[in-house]
């Protein structure tokens, strides 16, 4: 026998849901789940990690002679599940402009097939990220330690997968995959950010990389670095304009030390070094070294 009478609370919660659905122009018709599942995406990503790195991120009892069988079985299951989640997102985005179910299913199939075809390239990019971390951290004893232990690599595994989903027109799935890593590592990389090969995030906690950031090859950043937006343009109705380039461009071989904040569509030139805890809102020339002292001694720009 229950000690709590929850019937009134159930009714009140239903009323709250109905108010929200009405305000968002959602259907009240009974049916199945409308949205992708965070838990389902978490399982898919874990399977994909195993398929990408079977002997290190796969099951503990896996043997080399069974690698291909495990990868094939795991990948087939993960892609089938991903197709379900992709279909849910596409149905969700089409709720105000209904489309035929067959058309949505065909789009989901094409997207997941293209995603699957990209996995070997993603694996090679991640190998480069792992090697960059190993070469860039004197405390790293092996590339295996880097893959198994480093939060920056975990964040990049998620980002490489999420970025591909983002480019295939599945931004909600991509954001869920990115936020799974964010919650585990404290590293917040928007799936839209473009990050080239050999990227290394050392330590990582508090790193923020915005949606339109562009990062070149062999870039290294440390904890609490922000590549953010300086201002948010609005339209004539006062709404934020989304998707505009508003985050930094970081060229090849740049190093950004802990606590640096770089805001706006500025460019950090090739080979530049950005010192810790600096605040940058202007372009930095190639090869330059920026520190708190250099910024304090620089002539002040007049406001315009």
């Amino acid at each position: 026998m229950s000690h709590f009478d929850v019937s009134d609370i159930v009714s009140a919660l239903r009323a709250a849901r109905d108010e929200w659905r009405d305000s968002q122009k959602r259907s009240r018709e009974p049916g199945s789940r409308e949205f992708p599942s965070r838990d389902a995406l978490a399982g898919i990503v874990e399977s994909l990690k195993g398929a990408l790195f079977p002997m290190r991120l796969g099951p503990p009892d896996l043997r080399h002679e069974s690698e291909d069988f495990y990868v094939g079985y795991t990948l087939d299951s993960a892609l089938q599940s991903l197709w379900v989640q992709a279909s849910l997102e596409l149905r969700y985005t089409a709720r105000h402009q209904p489309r035929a179910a067959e058309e949505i299913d065909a789009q989901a199939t094409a997207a997941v097939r293209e995603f699957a075809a990209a996995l070997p390239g993603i694996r090679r990019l991640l190998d480069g990220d792992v090697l960059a971390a190993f070469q860039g951290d004197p405390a790293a004893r092996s590339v295996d330690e880097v893959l198994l232990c480093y939060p920056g690599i975990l964040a990049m595994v998620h980002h490489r997968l999420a970025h591909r989903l983002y480019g295939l027109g599945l931004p909600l799935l991509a954001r869920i995959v990115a936020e799974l890593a964010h919650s585990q590592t404290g590293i917040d990389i928007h799936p839209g950010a473009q990050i080239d090969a050999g990227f290394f995030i050392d330590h990582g906690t508090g790193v923020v990389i915005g949606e339109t950031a562009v990062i070149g090859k062999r870039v290294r950043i440390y904890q609490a670095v922000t590549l953010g937006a300086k201002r948010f343009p609005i339209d004539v109705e006062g709404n934020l304009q989304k998707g505009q380039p508003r985050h930094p461009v970081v060229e090849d071989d740049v190093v950004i030390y802990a606590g640096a904040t770089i805001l706006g569509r500025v460019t950090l030139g090739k080979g530049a070094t950005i010192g810790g805890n600096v605040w940058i809102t202007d372009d930095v020339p190639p090869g330059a070294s920026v520190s708190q002292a250099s910024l304090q001694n620089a002539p002040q720009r007049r406001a315009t």
Side-chain angles (χ1 to χ4, degrees):
M1 178 184 234
S2 174
H3 294 285
F4 307 101
D5 183 2
V6 299
S7 57
D8 289 343
I9 300 173
V10 170
S11 297
L13 286 171
R14 182 177 64 249
R17 293 195 304 271
D18 288 343
E19 289 170 12
W20 170 258
R21 287 166 180 162
D22 289 344
S23 70
Q24 299 296 312
K25 298 181 174 56
R26 302 273 173 79
S27 172
R28 288 204 199 179
E29 295 295 323
S32 58
R33 184 184 183 94
E34 291 182 86
F35 314 105
S37 163
R38 184 182 175 98
D39 288 343
L41 263 297
I44 291 166
V45 171
E46 288 305 308
S47 294
L48 291 172
K49 290 178 189 176
L52 287 167
F53 299 97
M55 296 306 297
R56 288 174 286 178
L57 301 183
D61 58 347
L62 183 64
R63 298 177 63 86
H64 279 291
E65 56 266 29
S66 303
E67 262 189 306
D68 283 348
F69 176 81
Y70 164 76
V71 169
Y73 176 83
T74 302
L75 196 55
D76 182 69
S77 177
L79 294 174
Q80 292 291 344
S81 297
L82 182 61
W83 180 88
V84 173
Q85 300 305 310
S87 297
L88 285 169
E89 174 168 353
L90 294 172
R91 283 178 169 79
Y92 167 70
T93 56
R95 66 193 185 280
H96 297 314
Q97 296 177 324
R99 299 161 54 198
E102 294 80 5
E103 182 183 352
I104 291 174
D105 289 348
Q107 184 180 351
T109 299
V112 174
R113 282 177 177 166
E114 191 167 343
F115 175 81
L119 289 174
I122 290 173
R123 162 68 201 242
R124 291 186 173 93
L125 278 172
L126 290 170
D127 284 343
D129 297 332
V130 169
L131 190 59
F134 174 68
Q135 294 172 338
D137 184 1
R141 295 177 180 274
S142 70
V143 290
D144 303 307
E145 177 189 358
V146 168
L147 179 61
L148 291 169
C149 303
Y150 279 39
I153 294 301
L154 175 60
M156 285 308 298
V157 171
H158 280 248
H159 177 73
R160 299 293 189 195
L161 297 171
H163 184 68
R164 195 71 200 96
L165 292 170
Y166 185 88
L168 289 169
L170 298 168
L172 181 55
L173 296 191
R175 193 62 185 266
I176 293 172
V177 171
E179 290 303 321
L180 289 168
H182 183 194
S183 65
Q184 294 179 63
T185 65
I187 298 170
D188 184 0
I189 309 176
H190 192 285
Q194 300 177 49
I195 303 178
D196 213 325
F199 183 58
F200 175 33
I201 305 173
D202 200 357
H203 305 295
T205 304
V207 165
V208 177
I209 301 175
E211 177 186 20
T212 63
V214 179
I215 299 175
K217 295 180 175 65
R218 300 174 300 279
V219 169
R220 183 165 80 249
I221 68 175
Y222 289 79
Q223 68 270 22
V225 165
T226 297
L227 303 179
K230 184 179 180 182
R231 58 177 61 89
F232 304 96
I234 58 175
D235 60 23
V236 294
E237 296 178 352
N239 299 313
L240 286 178
Q241 295 183 14
K242 299 181 183 291
Q244 300 295 316
R246 60 194 183 278
H247 299 102
V249 175
V250 181
E251 295 185 344
D252 297 347
D253 302 304
V254 169
V255 179
I256 308 175
Y257 285 98
T261 299
I262 300 95
L263 300 180
R265 195 63 166 184
V266 299
T267 297
L268 307 183
K270 181 176 180 179
T273 300
I274 310 302
N277 297 311
V278 300
W279 182 280
I280 294 176
T281 56
D282 295 303
D283 291 345
V284 173
S289 181
V290 179
S291 65
Q292 288 188 8
S294 67
L295 290 175
Q296 288 168 358
N297 295 329
Q300 298 295 310
R301 298 180 62 183
R302 293 184 178 179
T304 56

